[in-house]
Amino acid sequence: TATPLCPHSTIRVRPLTCTETRRGDRQVVHSLGNSTVHVSAARHDATFGFSAVFDAGASQEAVFEGSGMRQLVELAIDGFSCTVFAFGQTGSGKTYTLMGPLTQTETRPAAPGLLGLMQRSFACLLEQSRSRGSDVALSASYLEIYNEQVRDLLSPGPPCALPLRWSKTRGFYVENQLSVDFESLEAIADLLLQGSQRRRTSAHALNRHSSRSHALLTIHVRSRAHEPLQHMCPQPGACPSKQGTLCFVDLAGSERVKETGSSGELSVEANSINRSLLALGHCISLLAKPQGKRTHIPYRDSKLTRLLARSLGGSGVTLMVACISPSSRCLSETLSTLHYASRACRVTTRP
């Protein structure tokens, strides 16, 4: 049987923004330098430990190397199902951590030092697959969950809702989702930018580019055996193969409607986001209990938890990146995110 494995859970603390500094917000979150983070404010004094903690001065490269992302890429090539997801309050830096600056386009790429976990993982994936000398085929699919509808971000035309199915062999899957083959870093980077530009975003009081949907980009890695095994195959199609996946999940930020000033459609979106995040938190809480004390895990409560079922409590390898604000004004949401990440640390999977 596979060895039980707990997910890597890392924390990234963004810097105070200019608005927060001008407003006089205090910094209430501090990295202690030994994979722990300390929250110090009125009536709140708590220390949390994680796999790694990155403070406001940490570079994008430091987050990639220190989070275990490189190992996750190697596991995907070896045939494992791997997932990294970023979560936290709206405006806490999730999309920046995964993708880099929001201003980048195909004609105006981001500076190399600012590229996020996704682009660095793509480069590592292509480099590793070539160095191993195996015949590797790569493809990508990209979807968003907006107001409990699953929409393909790569298919041409306006995004339309796709059905979410379940089967004994595949678990939950999206029917008719487009998967695009790629062979170069430029090709997958273009797919990422094309899909992200179609994703639903809006501006509100806490974030000028608030993601209004959960986005999942999945890299499918299919590899045949190394050369020494080729002579053992009676036919080319009979060679042993491995199929791994590397899935990046950019969760829409949790938010309080009162703080964001949302109304109308924005308010409906916020309620949908918060409901799905609540369902995810509930599943994580139950999965964190000892094996013998677990009850039914309600994956069917939201489309998000259905799609993450295998990553959370099944046969996958998971990296969780919790992004938080150090501002005293965001204290409540920051504590909520830290507790959320702490529970996630106790979930075990059997990859």
Side-chain angles (χ1 to χ4, degrees):
T1 58
T3 304
L5 185 70
C6 292
H8 281 285
S9 199
T10 64
I11 300 294
R12 189 175 198 185
V13 188
R14 69 156 171 77
L16 283 170
T17 65
C18 295
T19 302
E20 290 167 341
T21 303
R22 282 197 303 268
R23 197 169 54 203
D25 292 9
R26 290 183 303 105
Q27 181 164 336
V28 296
V29 180
H30 302 275
S31 167
L32 299 183
N34 55 350
S35 298
T36 58
V37 63
H38 184 67
V39 179
S40 177
R43 301 189 304 278
H44 292 285
D45 193 87
T47 301
F48 300 83
F50 298 96
S51 306
V53 174
F54 304 99
D55 61 21
S59 66
Q60 294 279 66
E61 182 181 5
V63 175
F64 176 78
E65 296 295 346
S67 64
M69 194 66 236
R70 186 179 292 276
Q71 290 79 2
L72 219 61
V73 171
E74 292 170 353
L75 285 169
I77 296 173
D78 284 336
F80 288 90
S81 173
C82 302
T83 304
V84 51
F85 68 87
F87 62 99
Q89 181 184 16
T90 183
S92 59
K94 299 180 299 298
T95 302
Y96 175 79
T97 296
L98 285 179
M99 287 184 54
L102 291 169
T103 53
Q104 63 186 302
T105 63
E106 292 171 54
T107 55
R108 189 174 61 181
L114 299 181
L115 293 174
L117 291 178
M118 283 176 153
Q119 296 98 324
R120 293 172 189 276
S121 298
F122 300 156
C124 181
L125 176 64
L126 287 160
E127 179 189 322
Q128 287 286 329
S129 60
R130 288 165 184 159
S131 68
R132 293 190 179 202
S134 55
D135 186 5
V136 178
L138 302 171
S139 61
S141 55
Y142 200 4
L143 60 83
E144 71 173 352
I145 304 172
Y146 173 71
N147 282 348
E148 280 301 286
Q149 288 189 337
V150 179
R151 312 197 305 187
D152 197 326
L153 292 172
L154 295 182
S155 60
C160 58
L162 296 177
L164 186 55
R165 308 291 190 198
W166 185 86
S167 76
K168 287 185 178 180
T169 53
R170 298 175 63 182
F172 293 107
Y173 68 96
V174 179
E175 192 173 67
N176 300 324
Q177 184 180 6
L178 182 65
S179 184
V180 181
D181 294 337
F182 68 92
E183 295 181 348
S184 68
L185 186 57
E186 292 76 21
I188 181 58
D190 285 348
L191 288 174
L192 172 62
L193 287 174
Q194 288 170 23
S196 62
Q197 286 164 5
R198 302 182 72 196
R199 190 177 170 192
R200 289 296 290 252
T201 61
S202 294
H204 56 56
L206 290 183
N207 190 355
R208 285 184 300 165
H209 299 280
S210 174
S211 301
R212 313 310 292 168
S213 67
H214 308 299
L216 293 83
L217 182 139
T218 305
I219 306 296
H220 306 272
V221 187
R222 300 182 304 280
S223 58
R224 286 207 292 269
H226 288 266
E227 290 297 329
L229 291 178
Q230 296 293 331
H231 70 279
M232 298 169 61
C233 304
Q235 301 171 357
C239 291
S241 64
K242 294 180 288 189
Q243 297 190 43
T245 56
L246 183 60
C247 180
F248 297 89
V249 184
D250 185 8
L251 296 174
S254 58
E255 58 185 61
R256 295 168 186 253
V257 173
K258 179 181 175 183
E259 292 286 333
T260 59
S262 301
S263 61
E265 186 181 9
L266 277 180
S267 179
V268 173
E269 291 169 353
N271 288 331
S272 177
I273 290 166
N274 289 339
R275 274 199 306 273
S276 62
L277 291 175
L278 187 65
L280 177 60
H282 185 43
C283 287
I284 287 175
S285 294
L286 293 174
L287 286 165
K289 292 183 178 180
Q291 196 77 31
K293 295 185 178 180
R294 285 186 190 175
T295 56
H296 166 71
I297 311 298
Y299 292 121
R300 292 180 180 270
D301 281 2
S302 77
K303 299 237 172 118
L304 175 64
T305 48
R306 290 183 212 181
L307 288 174
L308 291 179
R310 186 174 295 178
S311 305
L312 290 172
S315 57
V317 184
T318 306
L319 166 65
M320 301 177 182
V321 183
C323 297
I324 58 176
S325 162
S327 166
S328 52
R329 184 165 177 169
C330 299
L331 177 62
S332 177
E333 287 286 350
T334 292
L335 284 169
S336 176
T337 300
L338 289 169
H339 285 298
Y340 202 101
S342 294
R343 287 194 300 272
C345 283
R346 300 194 296 272
V347 178
T348 56
T349 59
R350 291 181 177 272

